[in-house]
Amino acid sequence: MFIGPTLVLVAGLILVPIVSSIFTSVTERHGAETVFAGLDNYTALVDDALFHKGVLNSFVFTAYAEIFKVTFGLIAALMLHHMRRGRAIVAGVILLPWVIPTVVTAFTWRSLLDPIFGSVNVLLTESGIGPGLAAIGLVDKWPAEWLSDPALAMPAVILVNVWKGIPFFTVTFLAGLKAIDSNLHEAAMMDGASPWQRFVHITLPGLRPVMIVTVLLSSIWTFNNFDLIWLMTQGGPGDATAPYVMVAYSKAIQQLQLGAGAAVTLVMLPIIAILVVILVRMMRRSDLPGAADLGHRRLTPVQRKALPWVIVAASVLVLVWASPHIVWKAALVLGVFVVLAAAVGRVVSALAARSKRLAARLVAGTGSGVALVGLLGFVLAPLYWMTITAFKSDDQIVARTDDLWPTPWTTEQFTNLFTGTFGTWYVNTILVSVASTVIALVCAALAGYALARLKFRGSESFTVTILLTYVMPGALLFIPLYQLMSGIGLNDSLWSLVLAYPTFTLPFATWLLVGYFKSIPADLEEAALVDGCTRFGAFIRIVLPLAKPGLLAVALFTLTNAWNEFLFAFVFITKDDNKTLPLGMQSMIFGDVVPQGQLAAASLLVSIPVVLMYGFGQRFLTEGLTAGAVKG
């Protein structure tokens, strides 16, 4: 009874559609008829240049993005870890790019990188950096056409993905740094270890499990990215940035060859499956007896130590082969930042060691302050641009006067925005987000409690299934779900989104609540059962009140994920009155006509609720966690 609703939704909306996709991949559409095609759709991919380009683009996009996110996320986490005051505030600010919807990220950066109306070229030109980049060959010409030049489009979308992903890496690495025993560093310092030696032999080994899980999870998301690239470049210019997911979308939805599109996603399933299996093992390592040795029994210590370097070397070689026009530029940029960070850290440490206590604090504070200003500038500059553009007039945007300040401040963009269907899109998004969150919350609470408290046959297998579906990318589901919604007549209906969104919110919510329910002592439940209360009554009266912080966390994450979702809405909805905010904002662009001001105003209105939910939600979570102790 407890796991029934979740089992039905997971089976009906995830497992069955994946099986259906396998059958679809061996069919072919001829006119109005669908016929059996065997392996023709798969063999056709061997000579499909667009598919080859899409797979290569996905790999290049993922590899570069993960390298930069790991490096910059680790630098930011180390900097925050050594802050004594204001760490929580700075961490909250840094988290903003990850919190705001992808559609806001895409349109904000698209506006900044615009060669005519954007400020990136202007600032780089006035500072002299832009001509310098052209002189050393980082860009072919100046001013640069960031999103329309085939040589710059991929680096540009990688930059935006890095900007959005750094906060996730920073927060997870910061949590890992807090878990490392400080006594190890103190003992190493007493033994004369240098900061670099402590970093290599203590910090990195301590962070290794967190880094592996974070990189794997982010790699799965990045490899299957669709919305950011589509909203920024639509895969162009040409097919310079088109990932394999976009190839599948083009074949299945635009060309109406569902079998060919399903074959594209399923061919990539082994690569995703490898990442998922490794991730599942890492995430479950602490849950099962003896799982800490899982996968290590077949490798010697030397092999385990060498394996990461072998993977890195192989990836670099593939990158050199796949993107020779990018690899040296990326290496140069990455090397400059790493050298600067290492130099600043070394100078601060040396001066601090030789100075008196007050001077040491001043030196360290100055070095950290410079790095902090640079980090916050990188994080906040696009958000500042979005905000001020929303309050500019159309005349000021076109005339390019006072780029960094509205003169005068005006609300005409908001007025023009609500003369159309923006209000309808807003209401649709609220309805779909709330409805899908309620479904996910109710089902996840029941299933999470059953998996945490009740012993029944198949519970372990069901837990693994939940985790697998949690990391299953939407790229594998949008084609079979499109068929399912068409078959039951729900295409172009908000109900299609309400039913589809639990595919990515429900597994995560269930997995999160399983861990939270396990942390609640079972004494009060057992006492209630002894007094004659039913299991369901104990769940309602005892467990749920104690689980409010966990339920709030689930509601917060599921609501924001539903609020930000683009791919399913893009595939399922075509009627303007049924669009959600991300899809509606995308439809505001007509060919080459981009309403910069209205898009900025819409981005601001879309972002404010999410930022407020996280701001207030984090405070309530902290209060709930500190007030939930069991008193005897």
Side-chain angles (χ1 to χ4, degrees):
M1 290 177 62
F2 276 92
I3 69 169
T6 299
L7 182 61
V8 170
L9 288 177
V10 169
L13 296 177
I14 300 178
L15 302 181
V16 171
I18 290 178
V19 175
S20 172
S21 183
I22 296 175
F23 286 102
T24 300
S25 68
V26 296
T27 65
E28 195 173 76
R29 183 167 178 172
H30 293 291
E33 296 183 358
T34 300
V35 299
F36 179 75
L39 297 178
D40 290 351
N41 289 323
Y42 293 94
T43 57
L45 297 178
V46 176
D47 299 320
D48 191 334
L50 182 59
F51 170 71
H52 298 165
K53 182 65 173 177
V55 174
L56 198 61
N57 285 340
S58 293
F59 174 77
V60 169
F61 178 68
T62 302
Y64 283 114
E66 296 311 305
I67 290 172
F68 277 90
K69 283 186 282 191
V70 168
T71 304
F72 293 153
L74 183 57
I75 293 174
L78 289 170
M79 185 179 63
L80 290 178
H81 183 62
H82 291 95
M83 285 184 62
R84 295 188 176 183
R85 297 179 180 178
R87 180 192 301 168
I89 297 175
V90 175
V93 173
I94 292 176
L95 198 61
L96 287 176
W98 188 66
V99 169
I100 64 173
T102 301
V103 65
V104 174
T105 300
F107 287 140
T108 299
W109 276 97
R110 185 170 171 171
S111 175
L112 278 169
L113 297 173
D114 189 286
I116 299 176
F117 300 107
S119 284
V120 169
N121 279 354
V122 174
L123 293 176
L124 292 180
T125 300
E126 292 179 352
S127 64
I129 296 175
L133 296 177
I136 63 176
L138 281 177
V139 295
D140 296 332
K141 60 180 181 179
W142 194 261
E145 298 177 355
W146 298 101
L147 298 179
S148 56
D149 186 341
L152 293 177
M154 180 61 79
V157 295
I158 290 173
L159 168 68
V160 178
N161 183 266
V162 169
W163 179 81
K164 189 170 181 62
I166 285 177
F168 175 69
F169 280 74
T170 301
V171 172
T172 53
F173 289 171
L174 184 60
L177 289 172
K178 292 179 181 179
I180 298 175
D181 189 357
S182 59
N183 293 328
L184 297 176
H185 285 278
E186 294 176 2
M189 291 177 64
M190 294 181 63
D191 291 338
S194 65
W196 175 252
Q197 290 174 323
R198 297 199 303 271
F199 174 74
V200 172
H201 297 288
I202 298 177
T203 303
L204 281 184
L207 281 178
R208 184 177 292 118
V210 175
M211 293 180 71
I212 293 175
V213 171
T214 304
V215 170
L216 286 173
L217 191 57
S218 178
S219 296
I220 294 172
W221 294 339
T222 307
F223 191 78
N224 294 279
N225 188 282
F226 174 86
D227 47 1
L228 180 66
I229 298 176
W230 176 269
L231 291 168
M232 291 196 68
T233 66
Q234 295 190 359
D239 54 4
T241 59
Y244 90 93
V245 183
M246 204 169 292
V247 176
Y249 168 80
S250 175
K251 292 180 180 294
I253 308 302
Q254 294 180 331
Q255 302 174 23
L256 297 179
Q257 293 295 334
L258 296 176
V264 171
T265 60
L266 290 173
V267 163
M268 303 310 300
L269 185 58
I271 297 176
I272 300 171
I274 292 173
L275 297 176
V276 168
V277 168
I278 298 174
L279 178 63
V280 169
R281 286 187 171 186
M282 292 298 299
M283 293 181 72
R284 300 183 67 240
R285 178 168 291 179
S286 60
D287 293 341
L288 298 177
D293 299 326
L294 192 60
H296 285 185
R297 297 169 184 171
R298 301 178 183 178
L299 297 177
T300 65
V302 175
Q303 291 172 330
R304 290 200 302 269
K305 189 174 182 179
L307 183 60
W309 296 107
V310 172
I311 295 174
V312 170
S315 300
V316 170
L317 290 176
V318 174
L319 282 177
V320 172
W321 167 78
S323 56
H325 63 291
I326 299 178
V327 66
W328 75 268
K329 301 176 183 178
L332 178 61
V333 173
L334 190 65
V336 169
F337 276 98
V338 171
V339 169
L340 286 176
V344 170
R346 190 172 184 83
V347 169
V348 169
S349 298
L351 293 177
R354 297 178 182 179
S355 304
K356 296 180 180 180
R357 180 172 300 180
L358 181 60
R361 289 181 180 178
L362 180 62
V363 171
T366 302
S368 300
V370 172
L372 181 62
V373 169
L375 177 63
L376 292 179
F378 177 66
V379 168
L380 295 178
L383 302 179
Y384 173 78
W385 171 262
M386 172 191 70
T387 303
I388 63 169
T389 303
F391 291 97
K392 291 179 181 178
S393 65
D394 287 332
D395 293 337
Q396 183 182 356
I397 294 174
V398 173
R400 298 284 305 279
T401 57
D402 296 327
D403 272 356
L404 301 181
W405 193 256
T407 52
W409 288 73
T410 178
T411 59
E412 75 172 57
Q413 304 298 345
F414 298 92
T415 303
N416 296 336
L417 191 65
F418 281 96
T419 57
T421 54
F422 183 80
T424 302
W425 301 338
Y426 219 103
V427 173
N428 291 343
T429 306
I430 293 174
L431 293 176
V432 170
S433 300
V434 172
S436 59
T437 297
V438 170
I439 293 174
L441 195 61
V442 172
C443 296
L446 293 170
Y449 177 78
L451 295 173
R453 285 285 193 265
L454 307 179
K455 303 299 180 182
F456 57 93
R457 183 177 299 176
S459 61
E460 189 64 39
S461 299
F462 189 70
T463 303
V464 174
T465 302
I466 288 294
L467 184 54
L468 286 173
T469 54
Y470 161 49
V471 295
M472 194 68 66
L476 296 175
L477 296 174
F478 77 91
I479 294 176
L481 285 178
Y482 173 77
Q483 290 180 285
L484 175 64
M485 299 304 169
S486 299
I488 60 179
L490 286 182
N491 262 359
D492 254 335
S493 167
L494 294 180
W495 284 109
S496 64
L497 303 182
V498 172
L499 290 178
Y501 284 0
T503 59
F504 58 86
T505 58
L506 180 57
F508 168 77
T510 304
W511 181 257
L512 184 65
L513 287 178
V514 167
Y516 195 87
F517 285 140
K518 285 182 178 180
S519 69
I520 297 177
D523 298 345
L524 294 178
E525 289 175 75
E526 295 173 358
L529 294 173
V530 170
D531 290 340
C533 188
T534 64
R535 173 65 69 175
F536 186 74
F539 169 71
I540 295 295
R541 295 183 176 89
I542 306 297
V543 177
L544 287 186
L546 293 175
K548 285 181 180 179
L551 296 174
L552 179 60
V554 167
L556 181 65
F557 284 118
T558 54
L559 190 64
T560 52
N561 282 333
W563 186 274
N564 301 342
E565 201 281 327
F566 177 79
L567 177 58
F568 288 162
F570 185 61
V571 173
F572 296 163
I573 305 297
T574 57
K575 293 180 181 178
D576 196 54
D577 289 340
N578 289 336
K579 291 178 179 178
T580 56
L581 284 171
L583 184 59
M585 290 175 62
Q586 188 265 342
S587 67
M588 291 169 61
I589 299 176
F590 297 95
D592 294 332
V593 180
V594 181
Q596 302 279 2
Q598 290 188 37
L599 282 175
S603 298
L604 190 61
L605 293 176
V606 171
S607 302
I608 288 175
V610 180
V611 173
L612 290 178
M613 281 190 291
Y614 268 89
F616 288 104
Q618 291 295 337
R619 179 169 62 87
F620 293 140
L621 280 173
T622 303
E623 293 177 357
L625 288 171
T626 56
V630 178
K631 300 178 181 179

